[in-house]
Amino acid sequence: MKTFDDIEVRRPALAKSYLGLIKAQPGRPLAMFAPRRVGKTYFLDHDLAPAARQAKWLPVYADLWLQKSAPLEAINHALEEALDDVTVPSSEVGRLAKTTVKKLGALGASVDFGDAPARRPLPTAPELRLDALVVRLAAAADKPILLMLDEIQALGDVADGERVIAALRAVLHKRRDILKSAFTGSSQEAMVRMLSTAGSPMYQFAQLLDFPVLGDDYLEQLADHFAEVHPGKLLDLDDLRRVFARIGFKPRLMRDLVKSLSAEGLTDLDAGVKRFLLDDRQVAGWSALLQPHDLFERAVLLAIAHGQPPMGRETLDSLAKVHGSRPTVAKVRAAIERLRRAGLLAKGGSRPTAVDDPLFAEYLQDRSLDQLT
Ligand SMILES: Nc1ncnc2c1ncn2[C@@H]1O[C@H](COP(=O)(O)OP(=O)(O)OP(=O)(O)O)[C@@H](O)[C@H]1O
Ligand SMILES: [Mg+2]
């Protein structure tokens, strides 16, 4: 182990158990939820995809958040890339071997292999294309496909999200022998809302799971490396646990925190968090998040950070100062919706709407509205 950045936790057993769940229920995707930045994508990439390969499945990854405007096309694109990887040989020898032999003179006779019968072009309608691609890819790879769709809740924000879900659902069911799937999402509420709109209740469609955050494995490695760098100094495991929870179980943030302590040889984690809250880069990042939101939305965010019920009478009274008059509930609701879509607010299951990032929440709690501009 050389640096803090090399520290990682692999979860092959978790990946294997997920594959087991997927296998047990053909046609039903596994949908895993966790808040932002806790390691969902990392898990798909480092644990689930390798486990799938080991099980002789072909993992295919698509990030729906990045391609919000055309999610179905993004999925198709990922499948097409995978199909290219499977069918277009990359080595020189492979390429030569695939060149069509037109004529072969043998003892004066001429053998004409000709072109392989041309395949029908893939359908252009994205729904049909998805189905055709799945069939073609599974046949070419001679394996079932594991379609990993990251940030599935993005479908809730696109105009034709329902159509996409319906198409996915139909193909997942029809091709259940050759198509398996795993979704990740950072908002269970958005996902439930979205999946339930496409016909029968969502629980009949996907298997919902809370994706577990990292635990002591990770914290112990951080502490061990710290002890190596600073002989005689120790980070307390209980402190690490408490602070990890305080920052929302985000491994990279935790690592950065320990790194910043390590740079100065300090061991007080809580003091480290305090300094983090004032760090210029951190503050600049939060200011950037606030930029797109007007004063009223910021005021709503601040009220929520302070734990005030957003529609409560006192909140509405205090928002009146910003708004000029007492805002309507509809107006507050619209602000919450915009903050939610921007990822600043989250509503998890039965929990009330809250600031998504607990560290950002702490930052907001220490500020007044005029400090947020
Ligand atoms: N198992 C792990 N071991 C070590 N570091 C990890 C692990 N998982 C995640 N991380 C660190 O946390 C960072 C964030 O992880 P990742 O991007 O997977 O989170 P995410 O849940 O997909 O976030 P988002 O909601 O923003 O998509 C990674 O870049 C990595 O530095
Ligand atoms: Mg991610």
Side-chain angles (χ1 to χ4, degrees):
M1 182 81 50
K2 279 209 232 69
T3 71
F4 283 107
D5 296 332
D6 299 322
I7 293 174
E8 62 163 5
V9 172
R10 289 292 179 90
R11 296 190 272 186
L14 185 64
K16 231 176 142 185
S17 81
Y18 282 3
L19 292 186
L21 291 174
I22 294 171
K23 222 186 295 184
Q25 305 217 14
R28 283 187 82 195
L30 195 71
M32 19 180 184
F33 297 97
R36 304 216 65 96
R37 313 305 301 150
V38 302
K40 300 178 295 292
T41 303
Y42 196 95
F43 175 76
L44 292 184
D45 195 25
H46 291 79
D47 298 306
L48 196 64
R53 278 185 212 103
Q54 214 170 24
K56 305 240 177 317
W57 294 2
L58 179 71
V60 175
Y61 172 90
D63 183 337
L64 300 188
W65 185 265
L66 283 179
Q67 312 280 346
K68 250 179 164 178
S69 53
L72 205 49
E73 286 75 1
I75 298 170
N76 286 342
H77 180 72
L79 290 166
E80 275 164 48
E81 297 253 284
L83 186 59
D84 276 354
D85 287 347
V86 171
T87 52
V88 181
S90 48
S91 74
E92 191 63 24
V93 179
R95 222 173 301 144
L96 284 176
K98 283 257 164 150
T99 313
T100 331
V101 179
K102 280 267 194 252
K103 275 206 163 51
L104 256 187
L107 303 171
S110 160
V111 187
D112 191 349
F113 283 83
D115 289 315
R119 301 208 84 177
R120 260 181 304 159
L122 286 163
T124 46
E127 288 87 351
L128 301 176
R129 198 177 180 84
L130 172 67
D131 186 48
L133 272 167
V134 163
V135 173
R136 231 175 248 197
L137 177 58
D142 195 21
K143 287 175 187 165
I145 300 163
L146 176 66
L147 185 60
M148 304 186 294
L149 300 183
D150 207 0
E151 309 275 4
I152 191 86
Q153 83 281 353
L155 292 181
D157 289 340
V158 298
D160 58 351
E162 275 181 38
R163 209 197 77 218
V164 176
I165 282 286
L168 259 177
R169 192 172 176 161
V171 174
L172 282 167
H173 180 72
K174 183 169 161 201
R175 305 297 176 194
R176 57 191 178 280
D177 293 339
I178 52 170
L179 182 62
K180 325 279 170 192
S181 67
F183 302 164
T184 78
S186 47
S187 157
Q188 179 143 0
E189 175 237 0
M191 180 111 128
V192 168
R193 185 157 35 84
M194 179 188 75
L195 296 183
S196 359
T197 53
S200 56
M202 181 259 340
Y203 61 80
Q204 290 179 2
F205 173 34
Q207 316 186 53
L208 296 184
L209 284 180
D210 281 323
F211 176 69
V213 294
L214 293 186
D216 284 359
D217 284 9
Y218 185 64
L219 301 178
E220 278 162 8
Q221 287 192 61
L222 288 174
D224 289 350
H225 187 63
F226 188 93
E228 242 170 68
V229 178
H230 302 284
K233 290 186 185 174
L234 291 176
L235 293 179
D236 184 69
L237 187 60
D238 282 334
D239 283 349
L240 282 164
R241 284 194 191 117
R242 190 167 39 73
V243 167
F244 195 38
R246 179 172 168 195
I247 64 166
F249 305 100
K250 298 176 167 55
R252 176 142 70 190
L253 192 55
M254 192 66 193
R255 191 181 68 203
D256 288 348
L257 182 65
V258 173
K259 267 161 85 173
S260 79
L261 287 179
S262 173
E264 302 187 37
L266 304 172
T267 54
D268 185 339
L269 281 151
D270 292 282
V273 175
K274 245 194 203 121
R275 279 194 318 162
F276 230 60
L277 286 165
L278 300 171
D279 183 281
D280 287 345
R281 275 165 305 170
Q282 202 62 253
V283 171
W286 285 325
S287 299
L289 287 180
L290 291 171
Q291 267 329 300
H293 299 285
D294 63 21
L295 201 60
F296 183 70
E297 284 163 25
R298 290 179 200 194
V300 171
L301 181 67
L302 205 59
I304 291 172
H306 279 94
Q308 295 173 249
M311 313 293 177
R313 177 137 50 107
E314 276 175 40
T315 314
L316 294 177
D317 286 345
S318 73
L319 288 173
K321 291 188 202 108
V322 185
H323 191 244
S325 60
R326 207 163 187 273
T328 58
V329 166
K331 169 109 183 158
V332 178
R333 221 174 250 146
I336 290 177
E337 184 59 17
R338 275 192 297 275
L339 291 161
R340 193 193 61 70
R341 278 174 195 256
L344 298 187
L345 290 179
K347 187 175 188 301
S350 53
R351 282 185 299 128
T353 303
V355 177
D356 184 50
D357 178 343
L359 206 55
F360 186 38
E362 279 196 40
Y363 169 82
L364 292 170
Q365 282 152 14
D366 283 345
R367 268 162 191 72
S368 60
L369 191 57
D370 48 330
Q371 288 174 302
L372 283 188
T373 41

mmCIF file of all heavy atoms in Angstrom, residues 37 40-41 150-151, ligand 2:
data_model
loop_
_atom_site.group_PDB
_atom_site.id
_atom_site.type_symbol
_atom_site.label_atom_id
_atom_site.label_comp_id
_atom_site.label_asym_id
_atom_site.label_seq_id
_atom_site.Cartn_x
_atom_site.Cartn_y
_atom_site.Cartn_z
ATOM 1 N N ARG A 37 -22.685 9.381 -3.960
ATOM 2 C CA ARG A 37 -21.256 9.305 -3.621
ATOM 3 C C ARG A 37 -20.881 8.200 -2.631
ATOM 4 O O ARG A 37 -19.849 8.283 -1.986
ATOM 5 C CB ARG A 37 -20.730 10.649 -3.058
ATOM 6 C CG ARG A 37 -21.098 11.902 -3.814
ATOM 7 C CD ARG A 37 -20.726 11.915 -5.276
ATOM 8 N NE ARG A 37 -19.307 11.756 -5.508
ATOM 9 C CZ ARG A 37 -18.801 11.182 -6.594
ATOM 10 N NH1 ARG A 37 -19.581 10.720 -7.529
ATOM 11 N NH2 ARG A 37 -17.522 11.075 -6.757
ATOM 12 N N LYS A 40 -21.787 3.388 -5.544
ATOM 13 C CA LYS A 40 -22.609 2.516 -6.392
ATOM 14 C C LYS A 40 -21.914 2.193 -7.714
ATOM 15 O O LYS A 40 -21.807 1.035 -8.112
ATOM 16 C CB LYS A 40 -23.972 3.178 -6.675
ATOM 17 C CG LYS A 40 -24.775 3.473 -5.426
ATOM 18 C CD LYS A 40 -26.091 4.157 -5.739
ATOM 19 C CE LYS A 40 -25.937 5.529 -6.350
ATOM 20 N NZ LYS A 40 -25.376 6.541 -5.455
ATOM 21 N N THR A 41 -21.450 3.244 -8.378
ATOM 22 C CA THR A 41 -20.809 3.036 -9.678
ATOM 23 C C THR A 41 -19.525 2.218 -9.517
ATOM 24 O O THR A 41 -19.223 1.328 -10.319
ATOM 25 C CB THR A 41 -20.494 4.399 -10.331
ATOM 26 O OG1 THR A 41 -21.711 5.128 -10.429
ATOM 27 C CG2 THR A 41 -19.903 4.212 -11.711
ATOM 28 N N ASP A 150 -26.982 2.595 -14.704
ATOM 29 C CA ASP A 150 -26.605 3.446 -13.578
ATOM 30 C C ASP A 150 -27.478 4.692 -13.583
ATOM 31 O O ASP A 150 -27.768 5.241 -14.639
ATOM 32 C CB ASP A 150 -25.120 3.823 -13.741
ATOM 33 C CG ASP A 150 -24.439 4.116 -12.410
ATOM 34 O OD1 ASP A 150 -25.115 4.032 -11.366
ATOM 35 O OD2 ASP A 150 -23.231 4.425 -12.428
ATOM 36 N N GLU A 151 -27.898 5.119 -12.402
ATOM 37 C CA GLU A 151 -28.699 6.354 -12.247
ATOM 38 C C GLU A 151 -30.041 6.228 -12.951
ATOM 39 O O GLU A 151 -30.469 7.122 -13.682
ATOM 40 C CB GLU A 151 -27.932 7.568 -12.804
ATOM 41 C CG GLU A 151 -26.519 7.714 -12.292
ATOM 42 C CD GLU A 151 -26.453 8.466 -10.962
ATOM 43 O OE1 GLU A 151 -27.516 8.808 -10.411
ATOM 44 O OE2 GLU A 151 -25.339 8.691 -10.483
HETATM 45 MG MG MG B 2 -22.470 6.756 -9.654
#
